[in-house]
Amino acid sequence: MAWFKRKNKEQKSQVVPRHIAFIADGNGRWATEKGLPRFEGHKSGKEAIKKVLDRCYERGIEIVSLFCFSTENFNRPKEEVDYIFNLFRNWEGLAESLIKRDAKFRLMGDLGLIPEDIQEKLKELTEKTADCKTHVLNFGFAYGARHEIVNAVNNLIKDGVKEVTEEIFEKYLYTAGLADPDLIVRASGEQRLSNFMLYQAAYAEFYFPQKYWPDFDAKVVDECIEAYQKRKRRFGKV
Ligand code: FPP
């Protein structure tokens, strides 16, 4: 009996989160501590995205959300904003690598706030990966949760919806049809949400590695999953 119980417990602890959402933070501090200009932090941050996505998909995570650029980040110096946009603009082979992983690209953000050529790239990524079924990359770009919620309300009004349920409301969020994050990870040790997935975070577990985003790699992903597996989720029940 004891053996049986232990086996069950072990099996349970092998469950990986279905959806992990990452807040990429600390690029600037990573660079400054190395005596480098801030943009070097963003450049390495892009490489970290690739490593994190690869490991998450390898580990069987179905949905990966990434907070890469917020509505508030538009207030940064123009050169920094342009640099980050250029990193995305010049990201060769993203569609192909997602297709190889059978990962569907979804934008979580306000397309209208993004330069037109990048809008095109985002649409193209969405179209090219539309038939992918195994994984999702939910890409937070020009994203803010309050902006998302207010937009949802305005669109509900425009559609003449008279009474809202959770089910209806969720259809108006960028994440319509996606499972909520099971685990939210913020890089850099800061412990706050900073306007990220405020509605969807209702029952998420949180994990805050003491590492800047450019240092995120397969090992950190494994550490996040292991931390999640130690949690007991009750969803308000006993
Ligand atoms: C937060 O670090 C990071 C950002 C605001 C930008 C995120 C950019 C990347 C992950 C690079 C790749 C991006 C794309 C779109 C390919 P911070 O600059 O706030 O760091 P700090 O708090 O130490 O200053």
Side-chain angles (χ1 to χ4, degrees), residues 87-102:
L87 281 177
F88 187 72
R89 212 176 248 124
N90 304 325
W91 194 336
E92 303 279 343
L94 176 57
E96 291 69 26
S97 63
L98 289 173
I99 291 167
K100 216 160 97 192
R101 291 274 184 206
D102 198 29

PDB file of all heavy atoms in Angstrom, residues 87-102:
ATOM      1  N   LEU A  87      14.846  44.120 -33.410  1.00  0.00           N
ATOM      2  CA  LEU A  87      15.187  42.731 -33.063  1.00  0.00           C
ATOM      3  C   LEU A  87      14.101  41.798 -33.594  1.00  0.00           C
ATOM      4  O   LEU A  87      14.381  40.715 -34.091  1.00  0.00           O
ATOM      5  CB  LEU A  87      15.288  42.568 -31.549  1.00  0.00           C
ATOM      6  CG  LEU A  87      16.564  43.043 -30.876  1.00  0.00           C
ATOM      7  CD1 LEU A  87      16.446  42.880 -29.366  1.00  0.00           C
ATOM      8  CD2 LEU A  87      17.783  42.270 -31.380  1.00  0.00           C
ATOM      9  N   PHE A  88      12.858  42.250 -33.470  1.00  0.00           N
ATOM     10  CA  PHE A  88      11.756  41.420 -33.950  1.00  0.00           C
ATOM     11  C   PHE A  88      11.708  41.425 -35.483  1.00  0.00           C
ATOM     12  O   PHE A  88      11.567  40.376 -36.121  1.00  0.00           O
ATOM     13  CB  PHE A  88      10.427  41.899 -33.359  1.00  0.00           C
ATOM     14  CG  PHE A  88       9.304  40.970 -33.687  1.00  0.00           C
ATOM     15  CD1 PHE A  88       9.213  39.732 -33.076  1.00  0.00           C
ATOM     16  CD2 PHE A  88       8.368  41.310 -34.649  1.00  0.00           C
ATOM     17  CE1 PHE A  88       8.205  38.841 -33.413  1.00  0.00           C
ATOM     18  CE2 PHE A  88       7.358  40.428 -34.994  1.00  0.00           C
ATOM     19  CZ  PHE A  88       7.273  39.199 -34.370  1.00  0.00           C
ATOM     20  N   ARG A  89      11.849  42.655 -36.036  1.00  0.00           N
ATOM     21  CA  ARG A  89      11.845  42.834 -37.500  1.00  0.00           C
ATOM     22  C   ARG A  89      12.856  41.899 -38.180  1.00  0.00           C
ATOM     23  O   ARG A  89      12.577  41.288 -39.182  1.00  0.00           O
ATOM     24  CB  ARG A  89      12.247  44.291 -37.758  1.00  0.00           C
ATOM     25  CG  ARG A  89      11.633  44.904 -38.950  1.00  0.00           C
ATOM     26  CD  ARG A  89      12.015  46.386 -39.046  1.00  0.00           C
ATOM     27  NE  ARG A  89      10.882  47.256 -38.834  1.00  0.00           N
ATOM     28  CZ  ARG A  89      10.818  48.214 -37.909  1.00  0.00           C
ATOM     29  NH1 ARG A  89      11.839  48.431 -37.086  1.00  0.00           N
ATOM     30  NH2 ARG A  89       9.742  48.955 -37.791  1.00  0.00           N
ATOM     31  N   ASN A  90      14.050  41.792 -37.568  1.00  0.00           N
ATOM     32  CA  ASN A  90      15.134  41.022 -38.188  1.00  0.00           C
ATOM     33  C   ASN A  90      15.204  39.575 -37.704  1.00  0.00           C
ATOM     34  O   ASN A  90      16.230  38.926 -37.857  1.00  0.00           O
ATOM     35  CB  ASN A  90      16.481  41.706 -37.914  1.00  0.00           C
ATOM     36  CG  ASN A  90      16.471  43.133 -38.390  1.00  0.00           C
ATOM     37  OD1 ASN A  90      15.854  43.443 -39.405  1.00  0.00           O
ATOM     38  ND2 ASN A  90      17.119  44.029 -37.652  1.00  0.00           N
ATOM     39  N   TRP A  91      14.155  39.112 -37.100  1.00  0.00           N
ATOM     40  CA  TRP A  91      14.147  37.738 -36.586  1.00  0.00           C
ATOM     41  C   TRP A  91      13.864  36.777 -37.742  1.00  0.00           C
ATOM     42  O   TRP A  91      12.731  36.513 -38.093  1.00  0.00           O
ATOM     43  CB  TRP A  91      13.099  37.585 -35.485  1.00  0.00           C
ATOM     44  CG  TRP A  91      13.234  36.331 -34.685  1.00  0.00           C
ATOM     45  CD1 TRP A  91      13.833  35.175 -35.070  1.00  0.00           C
ATOM     46  CD2 TRP A  91      12.747  36.107 -33.363  1.00  0.00           C
ATOM     47  NE1 TRP A  91      13.756  34.247 -34.069  1.00  0.00           N
ATOM     48  CE2 TRP A  91      13.091  34.790 -33.003  1.00  0.00           C
ATOM     49  CE3 TRP A  91      12.052  36.894 -32.438  1.00  0.00           C
ATOM     50  CZ2 TRP A  91      12.758  34.240 -31.771  1.00  0.00           C
ATOM     51  CZ3 TRP A  91      11.713  36.354 -31.216  1.00  0.00           C
ATOM     52  CH2 TRP A  91      12.076  35.043 -30.888  1.00  0.00           C
ATOM     53  N   GLU A  92      14.954  36.271 -38.319  1.00  0.00           N
ATOM     54  CA  GLU A  92      14.825  35.355 -39.463  1.00  0.00           C
ATOM     55  C   GLU A  92      14.437  33.958 -38.961  1.00  0.00           C
ATOM     56  O   GLU A  92      14.931  33.513 -37.930  1.00  0.00           O
ATOM     57  CB  GLU A  92      16.176  35.219 -40.186  1.00  0.00           C
ATOM     58  CG  GLU A  92      16.781  36.507 -40.693  1.00  0.00           C
ATOM     59  CD  GLU A  92      16.180  36.947 -42.017  1.00  0.00           C
ATOM     60  OE1 GLU A  92      15.557  36.105 -42.679  1.00  0.00           O
ATOM     61  OE2 GLU A  92      16.330  38.134 -42.354  1.00  0.00           O
ATOM     62  N   GLY A  93      13.592  33.310 -39.710  1.00  0.00           N
ATOM     63  CA  GLY A  93      13.337  31.882 -39.451  1.00  0.00           C
ATOM     64  C   GLY A  93      12.417  31.585 -38.273  1.00  0.00           C
ATOM     65  O   GLY A  93      12.291  30.427 -37.873  1.00  0.00           O
ATOM     66  N   LEU A  94      11.763  32.617 -37.738  1.00  0.00           N
ATOM     67  CA  LEU A  94      10.877  32.358 -36.589  1.00  0.00           C
ATOM     68  C   LEU A  94       9.708  31.457 -37.005  1.00  0.00           C
ATOM     69  O   LEU A  94       9.395  30.477 -36.318  1.00  0.00           O
ATOM     70  CB  LEU A  94      10.374  33.684 -35.975  1.00  0.00           C
ATOM     71  CG  LEU A  94       9.367  33.567 -34.843  1.00  0.00           C
ATOM     72  CD1 LEU A  94       9.895  32.720 -33.683  1.00  0.00           C
ATOM     73  CD2 LEU A  94       8.966  34.959 -34.302  1.00  0.00           C
ATOM     74  N   ALA A  95       9.088  31.787 -38.149  1.00  0.00           N
ATOM     75  CA  ALA A  95       7.939  30.978 -38.603  1.00  0.00           C
ATOM     76  C   ALA A  95       8.366  29.523 -38.799  1.00  0.00           C
ATOM     77  O   ALA A  95       7.694  28.603 -38.322  1.00  0.00           O
ATOM     78  CB  ALA A  95       7.375  31.539 -39.903  1.00  0.00           C
ATOM     79  N   GLU A  96       9.513  29.329 -39.450  1.00  0.00           N
ATOM     80  CA  GLU A  96       9.976  27.962 -39.743  1.00  0.00           C
ATOM     81  C   GLU A  96      10.233  27.194 -38.449  1.00  0.00           C
ATOM     82  O   GLU A  96       9.877  26.030 -38.327  1.00  0.00           O
ATOM     83  CB  GLU A  96      11.257  27.988 -40.590  1.00  0.00           C
ATOM     84  CG  GLU A  96      11.060  28.494 -42.023  1.00  0.00           C
ATOM     85  CD  GLU A  96      10.724  29.978 -42.125  1.00  0.00           C
ATOM     86  OE1 GLU A  96      11.092  30.752 -41.209  1.00  0.00           O
ATOM     87  OE2 GLU A  96      10.076  30.365 -43.113  1.00  0.00           O
ATOM     88  N   SER A  97      10.861  27.868 -37.466  1.00  0.00           N
ATOM     89  CA  SER A  97      11.165  27.138 -36.218  1.00  0.00           C
ATOM     90  C   SER A  97       9.872  26.825 -35.456  1.00  0.00           C
ATOM     91  O   SER A  97       9.783  25.787 -34.798  1.00  0.00           O
ATOM     92  CB  SER A  97      12.181  27.884 -35.354  1.00  0.00           C
ATOM     93  OG  SER A  97      11.657  29.103 -34.948  1.00  0.00           O
ATOM     94  N   LEU A  98       8.873  27.692 -35.568  1.00  0.00           N
ATOM     95  CA  LEU A  98       7.593  27.388 -34.900  1.00  0.00           C
ATOM     96  C   LEU A  98       6.902  26.212 -35.603  1.00  0.00           C
ATOM     97  O   LEU A  98       6.374  25.312 -34.946  1.00  0.00           O
ATOM     98  CB  LEU A  98       6.680  28.619 -34.897  1.00  0.00           C
ATOM     99  CG  LEU A  98       7.105  29.761 -33.958  1.00  0.00           C
ATOM    100  CD1 LEU A  98       6.229  30.982 -34.166  1.00  0.00           C
ATOM    101  CD2 LEU A  98       7.037  29.321 -32.489  1.00  0.00           C
ATOM    102  N   ILE A  99       6.951  26.226 -36.930  1.00  0.00           N
ATOM    103  CA  ILE A  99       6.298  25.146 -37.691  1.00  0.00           C
ATOM    104  C   ILE A  99       6.970  23.805 -37.355  1.00  0.00           C
ATOM    105  O   ILE A  99       6.297  22.798 -37.161  1.00  0.00           O
ATOM    106  CB  ILE A  99       6.320  25.450 -39.210  1.00  0.00           C
ATOM    107  CG1 ILE A  99       5.395  26.648 -39.509  1.00  0.00           C
ATOM    108  CG2 ILE A  99       5.903  24.232 -40.034  1.00  0.00           C
ATOM    109  CD1 ILE A  99       5.553  27.260 -40.878  1.00  0.00           C
ATOM    110  N   LYS A 100       8.307  23.855 -37.233  1.00  0.00           N
ATOM    111  CA  LYS A 100       9.040  22.633 -36.891  1.00  0.00           C
ATOM    112  C   LYS A 100       8.563  22.073 -35.549  1.00  0.00           C
ATOM    113  O   LYS A 100       8.502  20.862 -35.343  1.00  0.00           O
ATOM    114  CB  LYS A 100      10.534  22.955 -36.820  1.00  0.00           C
ATOM    115  CG  LYS A 100      11.408  21.831 -37.316  1.00  0.00           C
ATOM    116  CD  LYS A 100      12.791  22.302 -37.697  1.00  0.00           C
ATOM    117  CE  LYS A 100      13.768  22.072 -36.560  1.00  0.00           C
ATOM    118  NZ  LYS A 100      15.043  22.749 -36.765  1.00  0.00           N
ATOM    119  N   ARG A 101       8.208  22.958 -34.639  1.00  0.00           N
ATOM    120  CA  ARG A 101       7.712  22.544 -33.321  1.00  0.00           C
ATOM    121  C   ARG A 101       6.202  22.331 -33.308  1.00  0.00           C
ATOM    122  O   ARG A 101       5.617  22.076 -32.256  1.00  0.00           O
ATOM    123  CB  ARG A 101       8.053  23.615 -32.274  1.00  0.00           C
ATOM    124  CG  ARG A 101       9.524  23.734 -31.973  1.00  0.00           C
ATOM    125  CD  ARG A 101       9.903  22.730 -30.911  1.00  0.00           C
ATOM    126  NE  ARG A 101      11.299  22.868 -30.529  1.00  0.00           N
ATOM    127  CZ  ARG A 101      12.009  21.872 -30.027  1.00  0.00           C
ATOM    128  NH1 ARG A 101      11.465  20.701 -29.844  1.00  0.00           N
ATOM    129  NH2 ARG A 101      13.253  22.047 -29.688  1.00  0.00           N
ATOM    130  N   ASP A 102       5.550  22.560 -34.440  1.00  0.00           N
ATOM    131  CA  ASP A 102       4.086  22.505 -34.534  1.00  0.00           C
ATOM    132  C   ASP A 102       3.450  23.496 -33.544  1.00  0.00           C
ATOM    133  O   ASP A 102       2.507  23.169 -32.826  1.00  0.00           O
ATOM    134  CB  ASP A 102       3.574  21.073 -34.290  1.00  0.00           C
ATOM    135  CG  ASP A 102       2.157  20.878 -34.809  1.00  0.00           C
ATOM    136  OD1 ASP A 102       1.776  21.558 -35.781  1.00  0.00           O
ATOM    137  OD2 ASP A 102       1.413  20.058 -34.234  1.00  0.00           O
TER     138      ASP A 102
END
